[in-house]
PDB file of all heavy atoms in Angstrom:
ATOM      1  N   MET A 591      18.085 172.498  29.901  1.00 91.00           N
ATOM      2  CA  MET A 591      17.388 171.542  30.749  1.00 91.00           C
ATOM      3  C   MET A 591      17.523 171.826  32.234  1.00 91.00           C
ATOM      4  O   MET A 591      16.660 171.431  33.029  1.00 91.00           O
ATOM      5  CB  MET A 591      17.879 170.126  30.424  1.00 91.00           C
ATOM      6  CG  MET A 591      17.657 169.734  28.965  1.00 91.00           C
ATOM      7  SD  MET A 591      18.040 168.017  28.592  1.00 91.00           S
ATOM      8  CE  MET A 591      16.706 167.185  29.458  1.00 91.00           C
ATOM      9  N   HIS A 592      18.609 172.516  32.627  1.00 93.00           N
ATOM     10  CA  HIS A 592      18.790 172.861  34.043  1.00 93.00           C
ATOM     11  C   HIS A 592      19.367 174.273  34.171  1.00 93.00           C
ATOM     12  O   HIS A 592      20.502 174.457  34.626  1.00 93.00           O
ATOM     13  CB  HIS A 592      19.694 171.833  34.728  1.00 93.00           C
ATOM     14  CG  HIS A 592      19.061 170.491  34.846  1.00 93.00           C
ATOM     15  ND1 HIS A 592      18.080 170.209  35.783  1.00 93.00           N
ATOM     16  CD2 HIS A 592      19.227 169.364  34.115  1.00 93.00           C
ATOM     17  CE1 HIS A 592      17.687 168.951  35.631  1.00 93.00           C
ATOM     18  NE2 HIS A 592      18.355 168.426  34.628  1.00 93.00           N
ATOM     19  N   PRO A 593      18.593 175.255  33.755  1.00 93.00           N
ATOM     20  CA  PRO A 593      19.100 176.635  33.780  1.00 93.00           C
ATOM     21  C   PRO A 593      19.474 177.107  35.182  1.00 93.00           C
ATOM     22  O   PRO A 593      20.287 178.031  35.328  1.00 93.00           O
ATOM     23  CB  PRO A 593      17.933 177.441  33.210  1.00 93.00           C
ATOM     24  CG  PRO A 593      16.725 176.588  33.384  1.00 93.00           C
ATOM     25  CD  PRO A 593      17.214 175.183  33.247  1.00 93.00           C
ATOM     26  N   GLU A 594      18.914 176.467  36.217  1.00 94.00           N
ATOM     27  CA  GLU A 594      19.240 176.860  37.592  1.00 94.00           C
ATOM     28  C   GLU A 594      20.689 176.542  37.943  1.00 94.00           C
ATOM     29  O   GLU A 594      21.241 177.087  38.916  1.00 94.00           O
ATOM     30  CB  GLU A 594      18.293 176.160  38.575  1.00 94.00           C
ATOM     31  CG  GLU A 594      18.547 174.687  38.815  1.00 94.00           C
ATOM     32  CD  GLU A 594      17.988 173.766  37.715  1.00 94.00           C
ATOM     33  OE1 GLU A 594      17.449 174.301  36.720  1.00 94.00           O
ATOM     34  OE2 GLU A 594      18.097 172.525  37.858  1.00 94.00           O
ATOM     35  N   LEU A 595      21.346 175.684  37.156  1.00 95.00           N
ATOM     36  CA  LEU A 595      22.739 175.312  37.413  1.00 95.00           C
ATOM     37  C   LEU A 595      23.711 176.021  36.476  1.00 95.00           C
ATOM     38  O   LEU A 595      24.920 175.822  36.581  1.00 95.00           O
ATOM     39  CB  LEU A 595      22.916 173.793  37.259  1.00 95.00           C
ATOM     40  CG  LEU A 595      22.069 172.914  38.194  1.00 95.00           C
ATOM     41  CD1 LEU A 595      22.305 171.445  37.879  1.00 95.00           C
ATOM     42  CD2 LEU A 595      22.388 173.208  39.647  1.00 95.00           C
ATOM     43  N   TRP A 596      23.162 176.832  35.570  1.00 95.00           N
ATOM     44  CA  TRP A 596      24.014 177.439  34.550  1.00 95.00           C
ATOM     45  C   TRP A 596      25.068 178.370  35.148  1.00 95.00           C
ATOM     46  O   TRP A 596      26.241 178.324  34.761  1.00 95.00           O
ATOM     47  CB  TRP A 596      23.168 178.180  33.524  1.00 95.00           C
ATOM     48  CG  TRP A 596      23.994 179.042  32.595  1.00 95.00           C
ATOM     49  CD1 TRP A 596      23.988 180.394  32.498  1.00 95.00           C
ATOM     50  CD2 TRP A 596      24.981 178.585  31.665  1.00 95.00           C
ATOM     51  NE1 TRP A 596      24.888 180.819  31.561  1.00 95.00           N
ATOM     52  CE2 TRP A 596      25.516 179.724  31.034  1.00 95.00           C
ATOM     53  CE3 TRP A 596      25.447 177.330  31.313  1.00 95.00           C
ATOM     54  CZ2 TRP A 596      26.513 179.636  30.073  1.00 95.00           C
ATOM     55  CZ3 TRP A 596      26.447 177.240  30.340  1.00 95.00           C
ATOM     56  CH2 TRP A 596      26.960 178.394  29.729  1.00 95.00           C
ATOM     57  N   ASP A 597      24.692 179.214  36.078  1.00 96.00           N
ATOM     58  CA  ASP A 597      25.652 180.165  36.643  1.00 96.00           C
ATOM     59  C   ASP A 597      26.830 179.444  37.283  1.00 96.00           C
ATOM     60  O   ASP A 597      27.990 179.833  37.092  1.00 96.00           O
ATOM     61  CB  ASP A 597      24.963 181.065  37.672  1.00 96.00           C
ATOM     62  CG  ASP A 597      24.056 182.103  37.034  1.00 96.00           C
ATOM     63  OD1 ASP A 597      24.183 182.319  35.806  1.00 96.00           O
ATOM     64  OD2 ASP A 597      23.219 182.680  37.739  1.00 96.00           O
ATOM     65  N   GLU A 598      26.538 178.392  38.051  1.00 96.00           N
ATOM     66  CA  GLU A 598      27.629 177.681  38.712  1.00 96.00           C
ATOM     67  C   GLU A 598      28.518 176.969  37.697  1.00 96.00           C
ATOM     68  O   GLU A 598      29.749 177.000  37.804  1.00 96.00           O
ATOM     69  CB  GLU A 598      27.074 176.669  39.722  1.00 96.00           C
ATOM     70  CG  GLU A 598      28.184 175.969  40.501  1.00 96.00           C
ATOM     71  CD  GLU A 598      27.658 175.030  41.582  1.00 96.00           C
ATOM     72  OE1 GLU A 598      26.423 174.921  41.718  1.00 96.00           O
ATOM     73  OE2 GLU A 598      28.498 174.412  42.265  1.00 96.00           O
ATOM     74  N   TYR A 599      27.891 176.325  36.725  1.00 97.00           N
ATOM     75  CA  TYR A 599      28.690 175.628  35.715  1.00 97.00           C
ATOM     76  C   TYR A 599      29.573 176.610  34.942  1.00 97.00           C
ATOM     77  O   TYR A 599      30.764 176.362  34.734  1.00 97.00           O
ATOM     78  CB  TYR A 599      27.780 174.869  34.744  1.00 97.00           C
ATOM     79  CG  TYR A 599      28.562 174.153  33.657  1.00 97.00           C
ATOM     80  CD1 TYR A 599      29.218 172.953  33.919  1.00 97.00           C
ATOM     81  CD2 TYR A 599      28.674 174.699  32.369  1.00 97.00           C
ATOM     82  CE1 TYR A 599      29.958 172.305  32.931  1.00 97.00           C
ATOM     83  CE2 TYR A 599      29.402 174.054  31.378  1.00 97.00           C
ATOM     84  CZ  TYR A 599      30.036 172.860  31.666  1.00 97.00           C
ATOM     85  OH  TYR A 599      30.789 172.226  30.695  1.00 97.00           O
ATOM     86  N   SER A 600      29.007 177.731  34.532  1.00 96.00           N
ATOM     87  CA  SER A 600      29.782 178.701  33.754  1.00 96.00           C
ATOM     88  C   SER A 600      30.917 179.292  34.593  1.00 96.00           C
ATOM     89  O   SER A 600      31.992 179.588  34.065  1.00 96.00           O
ATOM     90  CB  SER A 600      28.882 179.810  33.209  1.00 96.00           C
ATOM     91  OG  SER A 600      28.245 180.504  34.251  1.00 96.00           O
ATOM     92  N   ARG A 601      30.701 179.438  35.921  1.00 97.00           N
ATOM     93  CA  ARG A 601      31.782 179.936  36.787  1.00 97.00           C
ATOM     94  C   ARG A 601      32.943 178.946  36.838  1.00 97.00           C
ATOM     95  O   ARG A 601      34.116 179.344  36.825  1.00 97.00           O
ATOM     96  CB  ARG A 601      31.251 180.194  38.204  1.00 97.00           C
ATOM     97  CG  ARG A 601      30.513 181.522  38.366  1.00 97.00           C
ATOM     98  CD  ARG A 601      30.377 181.917  39.832  1.00 97.00           C
ATOM     99  NE  ARG A 601      29.590 180.938  40.582  1.00 97.00           N
ATOM    100  CZ  ARG A 601      28.265 181.010  40.727  1.00 97.00           C
ATOM    101  NH1 ARG A 601      27.595 182.003  40.171  1.00 97.00           N
ATOM    102  NH2 ARG A 601      27.626 180.097  41.438  1.00 97.00           N
ATOM    103  N   ILE A 602      32.622 177.656  36.919  1.00 97.00           N
ATOM    104  CA  ILE A 602      33.669 176.629  36.931  1.00 97.00           C
ATOM    105  C   ILE A 602      34.503 176.704  35.653  1.00 97.00           C
ATOM    106  O   ILE A 602      35.744 176.697  35.692  1.00 97.00           O
ATOM    107  CB  ILE A 602      33.047 175.228  37.068  1.00 97.00           C
ATOM    108  CG1 ILE A 602      32.366 175.074  38.432  1.00 97.00           C
ATOM    109  CG2 ILE A 602      34.110 174.144  36.894  1.00 97.00           C
ATOM    110  CD1 ILE A 602      31.542 173.812  38.572  1.00 97.00           C
ATOM    111  N   VAL A 603      33.825 176.813  34.523  1.00 97.00           N
ATOM    112  CA  VAL A 603      34.517 176.861  33.233  1.00 97.00           C
ATOM    113  C   VAL A 603      35.369 178.116  33.123  1.00 97.00           C
ATOM    114  O   VAL A 603      36.543 178.059  32.721  1.00 97.00           O
ATOM    115  CB  VAL A 603      33.496 176.795  32.072  1.00 97.00           C
ATOM    116  CG1 VAL A 603      34.187 177.040  30.728  1.00 97.00           C
ATOM    117  CG2 VAL A 603      32.780 175.448  32.053  1.00 97.00           C
ATOM    118  N   GLU A 604      34.801 179.263  33.452  1.00 97.00           N
ATOM    119  CA  GLU A 604      35.531 180.520  33.302  1.00 97.00           C
ATOM    120  C   GLU A 604      36.742 180.583  34.229  1.00 97.00           C
ATOM    121  O   GLU A 604      37.810 181.073  33.836  1.00 97.00           O
ATOM    122  CB  GLU A 604      34.596 181.703  33.571  1.00 97.00           C
ATOM    123  CG  GLU A 604      33.544 181.920  32.485  1.00 97.00           C
ATOM    124  CD  GLU A 604      34.149 182.009  31.097  1.00 97.00           C
ATOM    125  OE1 GLU A 604      35.151 182.743  30.935  1.00 97.00           O
ATOM    126  OE2 GLU A 604      33.647 181.328  30.185  1.00 97.00           O
ATOM    127  N   LYS A 605      36.605 180.079  35.446  1.00 97.00           N
ATOM    128  CA  LYS A 605      37.749 180.075  36.370  1.00 97.00           C
ATOM    129  C   LYS A 605      38.872 179.207  35.812  1.00 97.00           C
ATOM    130  O   LYS A 605      40.058 179.588  35.853  1.00 97.00           O
ATOM    131  CB  LYS A 605      37.312 179.564  37.741  1.00 97.00           C
ATOM    132  CG  LYS A 605      38.445 179.531  38.764  1.00 97.00           C
ATOM    133  CD  LYS A 605      37.964 178.973  40.103  1.00 97.00           C
ATOM    134  CE  LYS A 605      39.124 178.920  41.099  1.00 97.00           C
ATOM    135  NZ  LYS A 605      38.728 178.302  42.376  1.00 97.00           N
ATOM    136  N   TYR A 606      38.513 178.040  35.281  1.00 98.00           N
ATOM    137  CA  TYR A 606      39.502 177.130  34.708  1.00 98.00           C
ATOM    138  C   TYR A 606      40.221 177.788  33.530  1.00 98.00           C
ATOM    139  O   TYR A 606      41.452 177.704  33.403  1.00 98.00           O
ATOM    140  CB  TYR A 606      38.803 175.844  34.274  1.00 98.00           C
ATOM    141  CG  TYR A 606      39.696 174.823  33.606  1.00 98.00           C
ATOM    142  CD1 TYR A 606      40.618 174.085  34.339  1.00 98.00           C
ATOM    143  CD2 TYR A 606      39.597 174.588  32.238  1.00 98.00           C
ATOM    144  CE1 TYR A 606      41.426 173.135  33.726  1.00 98.00           C
ATOM    145  CE2 TYR A 606      40.394 173.642  31.616  1.00 98.00           C
ATOM    146  CZ  TYR A 606      41.311 172.917  32.357  1.00 98.00           C
ATOM    147  OH  TYR A 606      42.104 171.983  31.755  1.00 98.00           O
ATOM    148  N   LYS A 607      39.462 178.456  32.692  1.00 97.00           N
ATOM    149  CA  LYS A 607      40.070 179.131  31.544  1.00 97.00           C
ATOM    150  C   LYS A 607      41.003 180.248  31.984  1.00 97.00           C
ATOM    151  O   LYS A 607      42.110 180.416  31.440  1.00 97.00           O
ATOM    152  CB  LYS A 607      38.981 179.712  30.632  1.00 97.00           C
ATOM    153  CG  LYS A 607      38.171 178.707  29.851  1.00 97.00           C
ATOM    154  CD  LYS A 607      37.137 179.458  28.995  1.00 97.00           C
ATOM    155  CE  LYS A 607      36.290 178.554  28.152  1.00 97.00           C
ATOM    156  NZ  LYS A 607      35.292 179.322  27.364  1.00 97.00           N
ATOM    157  N   GLU A 608      40.557 181.031  32.949  1.00 97.00           N
ATOM    158  CA  GLU A 608      41.337 182.198  33.397  1.00 97.00           C
ATOM    159  C   GLU A 608      42.648 181.791  34.053  1.00 97.00           C
ATOM    160  O   GLU A 608      43.671 182.460  33.889  1.00 97.00           O
ATOM    161  CB  GLU A 608      40.501 183.039  34.356  1.00 97.00           C
ATOM    162  CG  GLU A 608      39.341 183.765  33.679  1.00 97.00           C
ATOM    163  CD  GLU A 608      38.396 184.399  34.678  1.00 97.00           C
ATOM    164  OE1 GLU A 608      38.671 184.286  35.893  1.00 97.00           O
ATOM    165  OE2 GLU A 608      37.373 184.980  34.254  1.00 97.00           O
ATOM    166  N   GLU A 609      42.647 180.685  34.799  1.00 96.00           N
ATOM    167  CA  GLU A 609      43.865 180.279  35.525  1.00 96.00           C
ATOM    168  C   GLU A 609      44.930 179.707  34.591  1.00 96.00           C
ATOM    169  O   GLU A 609      46.125 179.737  34.913  1.00 96.00           O
ATOM    170  CB  GLU A 609      43.496 179.259  36.598  1.00 96.00           C
ATOM    171  CG  GLU A 609      42.677 179.897  37.734  1.00 96.00           C
ATOM    172  CD  GLU A 609      42.300 178.884  38.808  1.00 96.00           C
ATOM    173  OE1 GLU A 609      42.457 177.658  38.568  1.00 96.00           O
ATOM    174  OE2 GLU A 609      41.845 179.309  39.885  1.00 96.00           O
ATOM    175  N   LYS A 610      44.506 179.142  33.464  1.00 96.00           N
ATOM    176  CA  LYS A 610      45.415 178.736  32.378  1.00 96.00           C
ATOM    177  C   LYS A 610      46.463 177.694  32.770  1.00 96.00           C
ATOM    178  O   LYS A 610      47.525 177.611  32.149  1.00 96.00           O
ATOM    179  CB  LYS A 610      46.105 179.962  31.779  1.00 96.00           C
ATOM    180  CG  LYS A 610      45.154 180.934  31.114  1.00 96.00           C
ATOM    181  CD  LYS A 610      45.880 182.103  30.482  1.00 96.00           C
ATOM    182  CE  LYS A 610      44.895 183.038  29.804  1.00 96.00           C
ATOM    183  NZ  LYS A 610      45.553 184.199  29.173  1.00 96.00           N
ATOM    184  N   TRP A 611      46.183 176.915  33.797  1.00 97.00           N
ATOM    185  CA  TRP A 611      47.114 175.827  34.129  1.00 97.00           C
ATOM    186  C   TRP A 611      46.783 174.546  33.358  1.00 97.00           C
ATOM    187  O   TRP A 611      47.600 173.630  33.267  1.00 97.00           O
ATOM    188  CB  TRP A 611      47.129 175.551  35.633  1.00 97.00           C
ATOM    189  CG  TRP A 611      45.772 175.226  36.208  1.00 97.00           C
ATOM    190  CD1 TRP A 611      44.908 176.086  36.810  1.00 97.00           C
ATOM    191  CD2 TRP A 611      45.142 173.937  36.215  1.00 97.00           C
ATOM    192  NE1 TRP A 611      43.761 175.427  37.201  1.00 97.00           N
ATOM    193  CE2 TRP A 611      43.885 174.098  36.848  1.00 97.00           C
ATOM    194  CE3 TRP A 611      45.502 172.674  35.760  1.00 97.00           C
ATOM    195  CZ2 TRP A 611      43.002 173.045  37.024  1.00 97.00           C
ATOM    196  CZ3 TRP A 611      44.634 171.619  35.943  1.00 97.00           C
ATOM    197  CH2 TRP A 611      43.388 171.818  36.564  1.00 97.00           C
ATOM    198  N   GLY A 612      45.560 174.486  32.800  1.00 97.00           N
ATOM    199  CA  GLY A 612      45.136 173.333  32.009  1.00 97.00           C
ATOM    200  C   GLY A 612      44.548 173.791  30.682  1.00 97.00           C
ATOM    201  O   GLY A 612      44.320 174.982  30.456  1.00 97.00           O
ATOM    202  N   ILE A 613      44.294 172.842  29.817  1.00 98.00           N
ATOM    203  CA  ILE A 613      43.753 173.123  28.483  1.00 98.00           C
ATOM    204  C   ILE A 613      42.236 172.963  28.516  1.00 98.00           C
ATOM    205  O   ILE A 613      41.720 171.969  29.035  1.00 98.00           O
ATOM    206  CB  ILE A 613      44.346 172.158  27.439  1.00 98.00           C
ATOM    207  CG1 ILE A 613      45.868 172.347  27.334  1.00 98.00           C
ATOM    208  CG2 ILE A 613      43.687 172.343  26.072  1.00 98.00           C
ATOM    209  CD1 ILE A 613      46.565 171.216  26.577  1.00 98.00           C
ATOM    210  N   TYR A 614      41.533 173.943  27.958  1.00 98.00           N
ATOM    211  CA  TYR A 614      40.085 173.822  27.764  1.00 98.00           C
ATOM    212  C   TYR A 614      39.843 173.690  26.260  1.00 98.00           C
ATOM    213  O   TYR A 614      40.109 174.615  25.493  1.00 98.00           O
ATOM    214  CB  TYR A 614      39.348 175.030  28.315  1.00 98.00           C
ATOM    215  CG  TYR A 614      37.835 174.889  28.253  1.00 98.00           C
ATOM    216  CD1 TYR A 614      37.157 174.122  29.189  1.00 98.00           C
ATOM    217  CD2 TYR A 614      37.098 175.507  27.243  1.00 98.00           C
ATOM    218  CE1 TYR A 614      35.779 173.979  29.136  1.00 98.00           C
ATOM    219  CE2 TYR A 614      35.719 175.364  27.178  1.00 98.00           C
ATOM    220  CZ  TYR A 614      35.065 174.602  28.129  1.00 98.00           C
ATOM    221  OH  TYR A 614      33.698 174.456  28.075  1.00 98.00           O
ATOM    222  N   ASP A 615      39.352 172.530  25.855  1.00 96.00           N
ATOM    223  CA  ASP A 615      39.205 172.243  24.429  1.00 96.00           C
ATOM    224  C   ASP A 615      37.729 172.257  24.047  1.00 96.00           C
ATOM    225  O   ASP A 615      37.001 171.297  24.289  1.00 96.00           O
ATOM    226  CB  ASP A 615      39.816 170.876  24.119  1.00 96.00           C
ATOM    227  CG  ASP A 615      39.789 170.544  22.627  1.00 96.00           C
ATOM    228  OD1 ASP A 615      39.385 171.433  21.845  1.00 96.00           O
ATOM    229  OD2 ASP A 615      40.171 169.422  22.259  1.00 96.00           O
ATOM    230  N   ASP A 616      37.304 173.348  23.420  1.00 94.00           N
ATOM    231  CA  ASP A 616      35.934 173.420  22.915  1.00 94.00           C
ATOM    232  C   ASP A 616      35.939 173.535  21.385  1.00 94.00           C
ATOM    233  O   ASP A 616      34.998 174.040  20.782  1.00 94.00           O
ATOM    234  CB  ASP A 616      35.174 174.589  23.527  1.00 94.00           C
ATOM    235  CG  ASP A 616      35.846 175.928  23.254  1.00 94.00           C
ATOM    236  OD1 ASP A 616      36.935 175.944  22.660  1.00 94.00           O
ATOM    237  OD2 ASP A 616      35.270 176.964  23.639  1.00 94.00           O
ATOM    238  N   THR A 617      37.009 173.036  20.779  1.00 91.00           N
ATOM    239  CA  THR A 617      37.122 173.068  19.320  1.00 91.00           C
ATOM    240  C   THR A 617      36.346 171.901  18.716  1.00 91.00           C
ATOM    241  O   THR A 617      35.814 171.038  19.420  1.00 91.00           O
ATOM    242  CB  THR A 617      38.592 172.968  18.880  1.00 91.00           C
ATOM    243  OG1 THR A 617      39.077 171.641  19.145  1.00 91.00           O
ATOM    244  CG2 THR A 617      39.449 173.981  19.620  1.00 91.00           C
ATOM    245  N   ALA A 618      36.321 171.869  17.392  1.00 87.00           N
ATOM    246  CA  ALA A 618      35.644 170.768  16.684  1.00 87.00           C
ATOM    247  C   ALA A 618      36.554 169.561  16.508  1.00 87.00           C
ATOM    248  O   ALA A 618      36.143 168.559  15.922  1.00 87.00           O
ATOM    249  CB  ALA A 618      35.175 171.263  15.319  1.00 87.00           C
ATOM    250  N   GLU A 619      37.788 169.618  17.026  1.00 89.00           N
ATOM    251  CA  GLU A 619      38.795 168.600  16.713  1.00 89.00           C
ATOM    252  C   GLU A 619      38.937 167.556  17.819  1.00 89.00           C
ATOM    253  O   GLU A 619      39.898 167.566  18.594  1.00 89.00           O
ATOM    254  CB  GLU A 619      40.136 169.276  16.441  1.00 89.00           C
ATOM    255  CG  GLU A 619      40.093 170.231  15.260  1.00 89.00           C
ATOM    256  CD  GLU A 619      41.429 170.867  14.976  1.00 89.00           C
ATOM    257  OE1 GLU A 619      42.395 170.112  14.728  1.00 89.00           O
ATOM    258  OE2 GLU A 619      41.529 172.096  15.010  1.00 89.00           O
ATOM    259  N   LEU A 620      37.980 166.660  17.898  1.00 91.00           N
ATOM    260  CA  LEU A 620      38.074 165.543  18.836  1.00 91.00           C
ATOM    261  C   LEU A 620      39.302 164.690  18.535  1.00 91.00           C
ATOM    262  O   LEU A 620      39.979 164.205  19.452  1.00 91.00           O
ATOM    263  CB  LEU A 620      36.802 164.690  18.756  1.00 91.00           C
ATOM    264  CG  LEU A 620      36.804 163.375  19.533  1.00 91.00           C
ATOM    265  CD1 LEU A 620      36.965 163.625  21.021  1.00 91.00           C
ATOM    266  CD2 LEU A 620      35.534 162.579  19.247  1.00 91.00           C
ATOM    267  N   ASP A 621      39.593 164.510  17.256  1.00 89.00           N
ATOM    268  CA  ASP A 621      40.739 163.688  16.861  1.00 89.00           C
ATOM    269  C   ASP A 621      42.026 164.172  17.522  1.00 89.00           C
ATOM    270  O   ASP A 621      42.850 163.370  17.966  1.00 89.00           O
ATOM    271  CB  ASP A 621      40.924 163.731  15.345  1.00 89.00           C
ATOM    272  CG  ASP A 621      39.851 162.953  14.619  1.00 89.00           C
ATOM    273  OD1 ASP A 621      39.036 162.312  15.295  1.00 89.00           O
ATOM    274  OD2 ASP A 621      39.821 163.002  13.379  1.00 89.00           O
ATOM    275  N   ARG A 622      42.218 165.476  17.551  1.00 93.00           N
ATOM    276  CA  ARG A 622      43.451 166.025  18.125  1.00 93.00           C
ATOM    277  C   ARG A 622      43.553 165.684  19.600  1.00 93.00           C
ATOM    278  O   ARG A 622      44.626 165.305  20.090  1.00 93.00           O
ATOM    279  CB  ARG A 622      43.491 167.541  17.923  1.00 93.00           C
ATOM    280  CG  ARG A 622      44.720 168.200  18.511  1.00 93.00           C
ATOM    281  CD  ARG A 622      44.803 169.672  18.154  1.00 93.00           C
ATOM    282  NE  ARG A 622      43.644 170.413  18.624  1.00 93.00           N
ATOM    283  CZ  ARG A 622      43.411 171.695  18.331  1.00 93.00           C
ATOM    284  NH1 ARG A 622      44.256 172.349  17.537  1.00 93.00           N
ATOM    285  NH2 ARG A 622      42.345 172.304  18.798  1.00 93.00           N
ATOM    286  N   ALA A 623      42.442 165.816  20.327  1.00 95.00           N
ATOM    287  CA  ALA A 623      42.459 165.505  21.759  1.00 95.00           C
ATOM    288  C   ALA A 623      42.825 164.043  21.988  1.00 95.00           C
ATOM    289  O   ALA A 623      43.582 163.713  22.921  1.00 95.00           O
ATOM    290  CB  ALA A 623      41.098 165.822  22.371  1.00 95.00           C
ATOM    291  N   ILE A 624      42.288 163.158  21.168  1.00 94.00           N
ATOM    292  CA  ILE A 624      42.604 161.729  21.298  1.00 94.00           C
ATOM    293  C   ILE A 624      44.061 161.474  20.943  1.00 94.00           C
ATOM    294  O   ILE A 624      44.769 160.720  21.625  1.00 94.00           O
ATOM    295  CB  ILE A 624      41.672 160.895  20.405  1.00 94.00           C
ATOM    296  CG1 ILE A 624      40.225 161.000  20.904  1.00 94.00           C
ATOM    297  CG2 ILE A 624      42.109 159.441  20.364  1.00 94.00           C
ATOM    298  CD1 ILE A 624      39.204 160.309  20.010  1.00 94.00           C
ATOM    299  N   ALA A 625      44.528 162.115  19.874  1.00 93.00           N
ATOM    300  CA  ALA A 625      45.883 161.842  19.371  1.00 93.00           C
ATOM    301  C   ALA A 625      46.975 162.327  20.316  1.00 93.00           C
ATOM    302  O   ALA A 625      47.978 161.625  20.514  1.00 93.00           O
ATOM    303  CB  ALA A 625      46.054 162.481  17.993  1.00 93.00           C
ATOM    304  N   ILE A 626      46.820 163.506  20.907  1.00 95.00           N
ATOM    305  CA  ILE A 626      47.915 164.072  21.696  1.00 95.00           C
ATOM    306  C   ILE A 626      47.876 163.647  23.158  1.00 95.00           C
ATOM    307  O   ILE A 626      48.837 163.881  23.893  1.00 95.00           O
ATOM    308  CB  ILE A 626      47.934 165.616  21.613  1.00 95.00           C
ATOM    309  CG1 ILE A 626      46.734 166.225  22.355  1.00 95.00           C
ATOM    310  CG2 ILE A 626      47.975 166.070  20.169  1.00 95.00           C
ATOM    311  CD1 ILE A 626      46.790 167.741  22.432  1.00 95.00           C
ATOM    312  N   SER A 627      46.792 163.022  23.585  1.00 96.00           N
ATOM    313  CA  SER A 627      46.702 162.617  24.993  1.00 96.00           C
ATOM    314  C   SER A 627      47.304 161.241  25.198  1.00 96.00           C
ATOM    315  O   SER A 627      47.397 160.430  24.275  1.00 96.00           O
ATOM    316  CB  SER A 627      45.246 162.638  25.458  1.00 96.00           C
ATOM    317  OG  SER A 627      44.454 161.758  24.681  1.00 96.00           O
ATOM    318  N   ASP A 628      47.688 160.974  26.454  1.00 96.00           N
ATOM    319  CA  ASP A 628      48.308 159.685  26.797  1.00 96.00           C
ATOM    320  C   ASP A 628      47.336 158.743  27.484  1.00 96.00           C
ATOM    321  O   ASP A 628      47.594 157.536  27.565  1.00 96.00           O
ATOM    322  CB  ASP A 628      49.517 159.924  27.716  1.00 96.00           C
ATOM    323  CG  ASP A 628      50.572 160.762  27.038  1.00 96.00           C
ATOM    324  OD1 ASP A 628      51.239 160.238  26.125  1.00 96.00           O
ATOM    325  OD2 ASP A 628      50.722 161.944  27.393  1.00 96.00           O
ATOM    326  N   ALA A 629      46.243 159.283  28.003  1.00 97.00           N
ATOM    327  CA  ALA A 629      45.248 158.445  28.676  1.00 97.00           C
ATOM    328  C   ALA A 629      43.930 159.210  28.744  1.00 97.00           C
ATOM    329  O   ALA A 629      43.899 160.440  28.639  1.00 97.00           O
ATOM    330  CB  ALA A 629      45.714 158.065  30.078  1.00 97.00           C
TER     331      ALA A 629
END
């Protein structure tokens, strides 16, 4: 729907993944994210 924003969005995601200070969850397990988080 907004391919003109794809490059910027993908850069944000890839930088976050590469730096590895946070978790990027693209798995099918929503339950796990809800269960292990505190807020």
Side-chain angles (χ1 to χ4, degrees):
M591 301 187 70
H592 292 284
E594 74 280 3
L595 300 177
W596 169 246
D597 286 345
E598 184 176 0
Y599 179 78
S600 60
R601 279 197 298 270
I602 294 171
V603 172
E604 290 308 313
K605 180 182 179 184
Y606 178 73
K607 289 180 179 179
E608 290 170 1
E609 291 180 347
K610 296 182 179 180
W611 56 265
I613 297 166
Y614 185 78
D615 184 5
D616 59 356
T617 70
E619 299 181 58
L620 172 62
D621 288 355
R622 179 173 59 187
I624 294 175
I626 70 174
S627 60
D628 299 288

